[in-house]
Amino acid sequence: NAFYKFNHCVGLKPIPWFWRLALFAMLAIQTLQVQAQNEAAGRVMFVVGKATKQNAQGQDQAVVKDMDVHQGDRLITAPDAYLYTRMSDGALLVLRPGSTLSVDVWRYDAQKPEQSQIKYTLHNGLSRYVSGRGSQAAKEQFRFNTPLAAIGVRGTDFTVWAQPEITEVSVRSGGVIVSGFDANCKANALGPCEGRTAAELFAKPSAGYLQIKAGEKRPQLIHNNDKLGPEQNIAPLANEPIA
């Protein structure tokens, strides 16, 4: 009605209903995007050493305890830093020294967790993730990316080590499905990638870990029990808390 009155006053023809509907839909999407950016995705529980939060506008801020983390934030830990974040769905996100991780998508409704959309990208370094209500209820809308691979969950506690040329994934409980990127597994998508390039790993004493290198499409299962998988790549600090 407002559109019609405005057009009538200025002597223009009324805007067709389908254009009005498209405009309203666009405004609704923009509103949801602003709400997602303003809603806290998580809160810092513990930080030791120097860690930085870079927001979606590229502004840097030193990370301190009880700081909120939002969609679009990039978390960076120095070579001596640990960062523990409790996500608003109860998930635990840990960054080890020398790591960079982005919170790409965070849409979580405590009343409807099955409609959640959650996505992270570990650009480099070591991260541990323990699933929360959102990723458990909406496994088909959860994604944990590295430069080489897409990781989906089966209700999980897992650790990832990522560098430009290699990704390694180990599982403490539950399971993961890991796939290299290709035409059927896009980095910008949500959910696990299925198919011939995907490999599953479930927690058990002799499970080993999954490894994928640059140029490979499907992860390889490494059975070498003398190694700890991703955990071996960064030595723990003496004052790191036990999650």
Side-chain angles (χ1 to χ4, degrees):
N1 290 335
F3 280 115
Y4 179 83
K5 291 177 182 178
F6 173 78
N7 292 331
H8 180 74
C9 290
V10 298
L12 298 177
K13 293 182 179 179
I15 297 176
W17 67 268
F18 50 85
W19 285 115
R20 281 180 279 169
L21 182 62
L23 179 59
F24 287 142
M26 181 180 67
L27 293 174
I29 292 173
Q30 291 177 341
T31 300
L32 290 174
Q33 289 174 339
V34 170
Q35 289 175 344
Q37 290 176 349
N38 292 334
E39 178 188 2
R43 178 166 293 181
V44 174
M45 301 168 54
F46 173 86
V47 59
V48 60
K50 182 180 179 181
T52 303
K53 183 181 80 167
Q54 185 180 84
N55 65 20
Q57 290 72 44
Q59 300 168 326
D60 291 347
Q61 188 176 6
V63 174
V64 296
K65 186 177 183 295
D66 294 328
M67 173 182 282
D68 285 341
V69 175
H70 297 86
Q71 175 178 292
D73 285 349
R74 177 175 289 214
L75 303 174
I76 306 165
T77 56
D80 65 343
Y82 277 78
L83 176 59
Y84 280 55
T85 304
R86 177 69 68 189
M87 309 307 292
S88 62
D89 70 337
L92 175 67
L93 181 66
V94 179
L95 278 186
R96 299 288 180 86
S99 302
T100 303
L101 179 140
S102 296
V103 182
D104 301 318
V105 178
W106 183 266
R107 300 187 182 98
Y108 171 68
D109 183 348
Q111 303 303 317
K112 299 178 180 179
E114 69 280 1
Q115 297 182 8
S116 300
Q117 293 182 323
I118 300 172
K119 181 181 177 183
Y120 305 95
T121 296
L122 178 63
H123 303 279
N124 63 273
L126 190 71
S127 177
R128 179 183 175 192
Y129 181 80
V130 183
S131 295
R133 290 188 66 210
S135 53
Q136 291 173 357
K139 297 181 179 67
E140 297 305 313
Q141 294 293 317
F142 173 87
R143 171 73 72 83
F144 195 106
N145 276 352
T146 75
L148 298 178
I151 303 169
V153 298
R154 305 302 198 210
T156 308
D157 175 354
F158 64 94
T159 300
V160 183
W161 181 59
Q163 296 296 326
E165 72 283 355
I166 190 170
T167 290
E168 293 180 351
V169 185
S170 65
V171 180
R172 293 172 184 254
S173 66
V176 294
I177 179 168
V178 183
S179 175
F181 296 124
D182 62 10
N184 298 314
C185 183
K186 301 291 189 180
N188 60 359
L190 286 170
C193 293
E194 310 281 355
R196 297 172 59 184
T197 62
E200 290 184 323
L201 179 66
F202 292 90
K204 57 183 180 181
S206 58
Y209 59 95
L210 291 175
Q211 180 187 88
I212 184 168
K213 296 181 179 180
E216 298 176 346
K217 295 301 182 184
R218 192 176 193 277
Q220 303 298 315
L221 180 61
I222 308 299
H223 287 291
N224 188 347
N225 293 324
D226 294 331
K227 288 187 174 184
L228 298 176
E231 299 284 0
Q232 70 179 320
N233 296 297
I234 297 180
L237 296 180
N239 56 348
E240 181 192 7
I242 297 176

